[in-house]
Amino acid sequence: FAPLEHVYHRYARWIDRAGELRFVTTLPLSHMFGQAVNVFLPLAMGLTVVFVPARPRDVLEAARLHKAWGLFSVPRMIDLLADEIRRSLRQEGRLESIERRARRRERWPFYLQALAFPQVRREFGWRFRLIVSGGAPLPAPVQQFWERFGYLVIQGYGLTETAPIVAVSNPFERRAGSVGRPLG
């Protein structure tokens, strides 16, 4: 975890301004990736992790209630959350117009995208910024959905039996389908 901790400390002065960093997780502790991001990483970086059942409504409610900064999950749950956001926007009659605006603004910096879509931001809460995906490849359309609304998406790759985190993508270098560079 030293490479991840090193990057964290490089940005710590900006991250610390956000207050206590809480993450919602749907990852079980029976998997190595779940242990890595739910136990070892929080201990090394001083994060708080809130365990939530793997149901989209529960994840959204917990993120708002606990003022979460991010989510640790698997691609399927991240896709189900995107479906839940679409369903909510469709019920309000806003889905098509918001998706058109998002496509027009997809090259904007993430922090401006985040400000442009309060309808989506309120679903998770205003502090929510980061989605960490592991356990399987994150489909490019799912990653693009979240990035269009200003969320930072991190993908990781690991070998479950030996090393739960081998490579991690950089959320500021948006490249769909990339798991980033190998860790040192």
Side-chain angles (χ1 to χ4, degrees):
F1 295 103
L4 296 175
E5 194 173 1
H6 174 72
V7 170
Y8 171 79
H9 288 298
R10 189 175 350 151
Y11 297 104
R13 63 179 171 216
W14 291 289
I15 294 170
D16 289 344
R17 293 178 183 158
E20 183 181 356
L21 296 182
R22 293 184 197 109
F23 281 78
V24 174
T25 185
T26 64
L27 298 172
L29 292 175
S30 59
H31 295 152
M32 288 300 295
F33 181 61
Q35 290 176 26
V37 298
N38 293 334
V39 178
F40 305 126
L41 207 58
L43 286 173
M45 297 180 183
L47 309 175
T48 299
V49 178
V50 178
F51 290 83
V52 180
R55 295 186 296 265
R57 279 275 120 214
D58 291 344
V59 171
L60 292 169
E61 184 179 326
R64 283 190 308 271
L65 177 68
H66 296 285
K67 297 182 173 104
W69 206 70
L71 167 71
F72 298 133
S73 197
V74 294
R76 181 67 184 134
M77 175 53 61
I78 296 166
D79 190 19
L80 289 173
L81 285 165
D83 289 344
E84 185 67 23
I85 299 294
R86 285 186 197 101
R87 186 195 61 72
S88 177
L89 293 172
R90 189 176 296 113
Q91 282 182 336
E92 296 174 9
R94 300 173 143 190
L95 178 63
E96 290 78 21
S97 66
I98 287 177
E99 283 185 334
R100 272 193 310 274
R101 280 188 17 229
R103 281 190 296 274
R104 286 193 309 263
R105 292 173 170 87
E106 70 183 326
R107 298 226 184 266
W108 285 19
F110 78 94
Y111 50 87
L112 291 177
Q113 288 171 319
L115 295 173
F117 299 102
Q119 307 89 340
V120 176
R121 302 299 285 185
R122 75 167 179 250
E123 292 288 330
F124 282 102
W126 298 103
R127 293 188 64 190
F128 197 89
R129 299 282 182 265
L130 182 68
I131 297 172
V132 179
S133 175
L138 183 66
V142 176
Q143 181 175 348
Q144 290 165 348
F145 173 86
W146 292 110
E147 288 179 343
R148 283 182 179 150
F149 294 112
Y151 292 103
L152 299 172
V153 177
I154 295 176
Q155 276 197 79
Y157 170 77
L159 303 168
T160 299
E161 299 81 9
T162 57
I165 303 174
V166 173
V168 177
S169 66
N170 182 335
F172 300 106
E173 294 176 7
R174 296 179 174 191
R175 291 180 24 208
S178 172
V179 293
R181 298 172 192 225
L183 298 176

